[in-house]
Amino acid sequence: MEVFAVEGLPEVRPGDDVAELVVERTALRDGDVICVASTIVSKANGRQASLSSYEPSEQAVRIAESIEAVAGEEKDPRLAQAIIEECEEVLVEAPFVLGVTQFGHITVNAGIDRSNVPDADLLLLPEDPAADAEAIRAGIRERTGVAPAVIVTDTSGRPFRLGQRGVALGWAGLPASRDWRGERDREGRELEATVQAVVDELAAAANLVTGEGDGGTPVAVVRDFEFGDHAASEQLFRDPEKDIVRQALREWSHARD
Amino acid sequence: MEVFAVEGLPEVRPGDDVAELVVERTALRDGDVICVASTIVSKANGRQASLSSYEPSEQAVRIAESIEAVAGEEKDPRLAQAIIEECEEVLVEAPFVLGVTQFGHITVNAGIDRSNVPDADLLLLPEDPAADAEAIRAGIRERTGVAPAVIVTDTSGRPFRLGQRGVALGWAGLPASRDWRGERDREGRELEATVQAVVDELAAAANLVTGEGDGGTPVAVVRDFEFGDHAASEQLFRDPEKDIVRQALREWSHARD
Ligand SMILES: Nc1nc2c(ncn2[C@@H]2O[C@H](COP(=O)(O)OP(=O)(O)O)[C@@H](O)[C@H]2O)c(=O)[nH]1
Ligand SMILES: Nc1nc2c(ncn2[C@@H]2O[C@H](COP(=O)(O)OP(=O)(O)O)[C@@H](O)[C@H]2O)c(=O)[nH]1
Ligand SMILES: [Mn+2]
Ligand SMILES: [Mn+2]
Ligand SMILES: [Mn+2]
Ligand SMILES: [Mn+2]
């Protein structure tokens, strides 16, 4: 399996066609998995936003104040408002805002970026990354006849472990996971580690070559990845009713009110 | 960057030398990152265990009973005892046991495997995966003169997102993370996504080629990964006092008592 960055991509602007930018710069093959950093999908979709367009609600003011009190960090209540508007549910208000985006991804600050964003204060995550992945895939197929898998990725933190890593926000042309249930191990015993979230593993691999800085490489190609002969699973985000950690965080937030 | 599995490894037994098994089957280069599934490190270290050697404590009996009551799943109290003994702290007792291993990794069932374990009921995680990574690295260097980086990995679940993915338990010869703090983005602005947990991203990439089943490929080589000119960070597991999710889970468990 090979992982390489697409070189020479320009600064992406509202209205740009990501599929076109990619196919102009690299020869794709069937079976390739194209990992596209959400930052350029957001830029192409016009998800830039200015702080002055947000009117802080009571909750936003409270969030900004608690973060200042708890973390000693200045938080702009307009940024808090932007985060709230991107979230279906806020799970933790302080010492940082952890929420569920409208498309089901749980992350800090609703994944709003302030890095690599020219001419705007904020860059919001794509509204529907799965639809974006599908559109990029269709755009590549139209132009080249090749239909690679596409993953829209972000760099995101996680509980328990320090640091961020690449994750999948939306995908098309491959399943979210290999489902090993019913398969056997080397001893003929049914498998326990049952569902392998390959889209997240692919996003993580891609992130190693895209990086976080001024590299200018928001697109990585994974070549010769074999999904293999496995059952597939499509769901990546936990069902809220079965997510113990989400429930614990809800109660914990309330405990601080 | 290239990721490939080492082919032809035998069933690993107590006392086997993992470094020797690997160098006999593949030509390594400086700069390679060797990702070794913890399962074979545990096997080589003699971490097989039998259920009959565990005497269930009161807590183990309570855990088995609560899991049966809450999840409707039969749990052997001796397995619960094994999990407790591997954990420095149990965070959640039911519907599944989530705990912190002695070396700081938070996972379900203390990462004890019942798959791919011949002639034993259980396979415990390595006691000190960082030391194992260092020893494998030294063993490879002794035999070949090449000193690759080594990561001992496991497949593990995570909050919020379904499915498991490869993670690093211990590593040697490379830092845990790229620390981007102080670096600049494309606009000259200081970076926000500051610490990139590359050992986890490498473990995830490796897991795509090792798989979870009867593939017989516990070792993957990542070739031509460039850490790059970045500051480094060594810590991968969150400081308990700063880990909000861990705190919330502690309180939540207590709430059920
Ligand atoms: N060519 C190009 N590279 C960009 C652009 N925006 C970000 N990047 C690069 O894409 C990579 C990932 O950027 P990052 O801000 O971490 O994106 P995110 O992970 O989706 O939030 C880095 O190498 C950036 O330099 C852009 O508009 N054009
Ligand atoms: N050759 C060989 N392969 C093994 C052995 N044990 C496990 N494997 C393979 O190693 C890979 C990872 O196994 P898994 O049980 O998921 O390990 P874990 O992720 O460390 O828990 C699979 O391809 C297994 O078939 C062994 O002793 N010898
Ligand atoms: Mn981002
Ligand atoms: Mn990033
Ligand atoms: Mn395991
Ligand atoms: Mn595994």
Side-chain angles (χ1 to χ4, degrees), chain B residues 155 207 211-212:
Chain B
T155 309
N207 219 39
E212 307 303 328

Side-chain angles (χ1 to χ4, degrees), chain B residues 106-123:
Chain B
I106 299 185
T107 194
V108 169
N109 289 344
I112 295 176
D113 272 338
R114 311 188 73 176
S115 308
N116 286 324
V117 190
D119 311 326
D121 299 323
L122 309 178
L123 188 65

Side-chain angles (χ1 to χ4, degrees), chain A residues 1-4 9-12 43 91-92 94-96 98 104-106 112-119 121 155-169 177-178 180 183-187 189-217 222 225-226 233 235-239 242-249 251-252 255-256, chain B residues 1-4 9-12 43 91-92 94-96 98 104-106 112-119 121 155-169 177-178 180 183-187 189-217 222 225-226 233 235-239 242-249 251-252 255-256:
Chain A
M1 188 180 96
E2 206 191 333
V3 187
F4 58 92
L9 287 161
E11 179 64 34
V12 175
K43 285 176 180 178
L91 297 170
V92 175
F96 49 78
L98 183 73
H105 172 52
I106 299 184
I112 295 176
D113 274 338
R114 311 187 70 176
S115 307
N116 286 323
V117 189
D119 311 323
D121 300 322
T155 309
S156 163
R158 61 270 169 89
F160 309 141
R161 305 173 81 81
L162 286 168
Q164 294 96 37
R165 85 298 190 208
V167 293
L169 301 183
S177 297
R178 285 178 181 146
W180 295 83
E183 294 191 44
R184 304 273 158 183
D185 72 4
R186 291 161 60 84
E187 308 305 310
R189 193 186 162 107
E190 256 195 58
L191 284 168
E192 288 188 342
T194 45
V195 176
Q196 183 188 5
V198 294
V199 288
D200 276 336
E201 294 183 326
L202 289 159
N207 218 39
L208 288 165
V209 304
T210 57
E212 307 302 330
D214 59 3
T217 45
V222 183
F225 162 66
E226 285 176 42
S233 155
Q235 211 189 333
L236 189 63
F237 304 124
R238 283 186 191 274
D239 182 338
K242 291 183 190 150
D243 188 343
I244 269 55
V245 177
R246 189 190 298 215
Q247 286 167 26
L249 286 171
E251 292 180 20
W252 186 80
R256 313 274 124 158
Chain B
M1 189 182 94
E2 208 191 332
V3 187
F4 58 92
L9 286 162
E11 178 64 32
V12 175
K43 286 176 180 177
L91 297 170
V92 175
F96 49 78
L98 184 75
H105 172 52
I106 299 185
I112 295 176
D113 272 338
R114 311 188 73 176
S115 308
N116 286 324
V117 190
D119 311 326
D121 299 323
T155 309
S156 164
R158 62 269 170 89
F160 309 142
R161 305 174 78 83
L162 286 168
Q164 292 95 37
R165 85 301 189 206
V167 294
L169 301 183
S177 298
R178 283 177 182 148
W180 295 84
E183 295 190 45
R184 304 270 157 184
D185 72 4
R186 291 163 59 85
E187 309 305 310
R189 190 185 165 107
E190 257 196 58
L191 282 168
E192 289 189 340
T194 45
V195 177
Q196 183 188 6
V198 294
V199 288
D200 276 337
E201 295 184 325
L202 288 160
N207 219 39
L208 289 165
V209 305
T210 57
E212 307 303 328
D214 60 4
T217 45
V222 182
F225 163 65
E226 285 174 43
S233 156
Q235 210 190 333
L236 189 63
F237 304 124
R238 282 185 192 274
D239 183 339
K242 291 183 191 154
D243 188 343
I244 269 54
V245 177
R246 191 189 297 214
Q247 286 169 26
L249 286 172
E251 292 180 20
W252 185 81
R256 314 273 123 158

Side-chain angles (χ1 to χ4, degrees), chain B residues 3-257:
Chain B
V3 187
F4 58 92
V6 175
E7 300 291 342
L9 286 162
E11 178 64 32
V12 175
R13 305 198 172 280
D16 279 353
D17 185 322
V18 171
E20 186 173 310
L21 293 174
V22 171
V23 300
E24 279 168 351
R25 286 168 183 80
T26 186
L28 298 175
R29 301 192 196 150
D30 268 317
D32 283 350
V33 183
I34 319 298
C35 299
V36 183
S38 52
T39 184
I40 66 162
V41 175
S42 289
K43 286 176 180 177
N45 291 358
R47 296 280 286 161
Q48 295 84 350
S50 84
L51 278 171
S52 61
S53 68
Y54 290 98
E55 190 62 58
S57 61
E58 254 177 62
Q59 189 189 11
V61 172
R62 181 180 68 224
I63 286 176
E65 282 171 359
S66 344
I67 291 181
E68 244 172 277
V70 178
E73 222 178 80
E74 226 182 299
K75 188 98 182 175
D76 190 322
R78 298 170 303 170
L79 175 57
Q81 183 61 29
I83 296 167
I84 291 169
E85 292 183 19
E86 292 304 303
C87 284
E88 183 192 280
E89 181 184 358
V90 172
L91 297 170
V92 175
E93 296 193 345
F96 49 78
V97 188
L98 184 75
V100 189
T101 67
Q102 307 293 351
F103 59 89
H105 172 52
I106 299 185
T107 194
V108 169
N109 289 344
I112 295 176
D113 272 338
R114 311 188 73 176
S115 308
N116 286 324
V117 190
D119 311 326
D121 299 323
L122 309 178
L123 188 65
L124 313 176
L125 283 184
E127 278 177 292
D128 186 350
D132 293 317
E134 191 57 59
I136 294 169
R137 179 169 145 86
I140 293 173
R141 185 170 38 203
E142 255 171 51
R143 286 177 179 78
T144 65
V146 170
V150 175
I151 303 177
V152 174
T153 70
D154 195 20
T155 309
S156 164
R158 62 269 170 89
F160 309 142
R161 305 174 78 83
L162 286 168
Q164 292 95 37
R165 85 301 189 206
V167 294
L169 301 183
W171 55 95
L174 87 171
S177 298
R178 283 177 182 148
D179 188 341
W180 295 84
R181 278 174 290 194
E183 295 190 45
R184 304 270 157 184
D185 72 4
R186 291 163 59 85
E187 309 305 310
R189 190 185 165 107
E190 257 196 58
L191 282 168
E192 289 189 340
T194 45
V195 177
Q196 183 188 6
V198 294
V199 288
D200 276 337
E201 295 184 325
L202 288 160
N207 219 39
L208 289 165
V209 305
T210 57
E212 307 303 328
D214 60 4
T217 45
V219 179
V221 178
V222 182
R223 180 155 291 166
D224 296 326
F225 163 65
E226 285 174 43
F227 186 86
D229 185 20
H230 304 286
S233 156
E234 266 316 331
Q235 210 190 333
L236 189 63
F237 304 124
R238 282 185 192 274
D239 183 339
E241 297 324 302
K242 291 183 191 154
D243 188 343
I244 269 54
V245 177
R246 191 189 297 214
Q247 286 169 26
L249 286 172
R250 274 183 192 145
E251 292 180 20
W252 185 81
S253 315
H254 293 160
R256 314 273 123 158
D257 279 351

Side-chain angles (χ1 to χ4, degrees), chain A residues 136-148:
Chain A
I136 294 170
R137 178 169 145 86
I140 293 174
R141 186 169 38 205
E142 253 171 50
R143 286 178 179 78
T144 65
V146 169

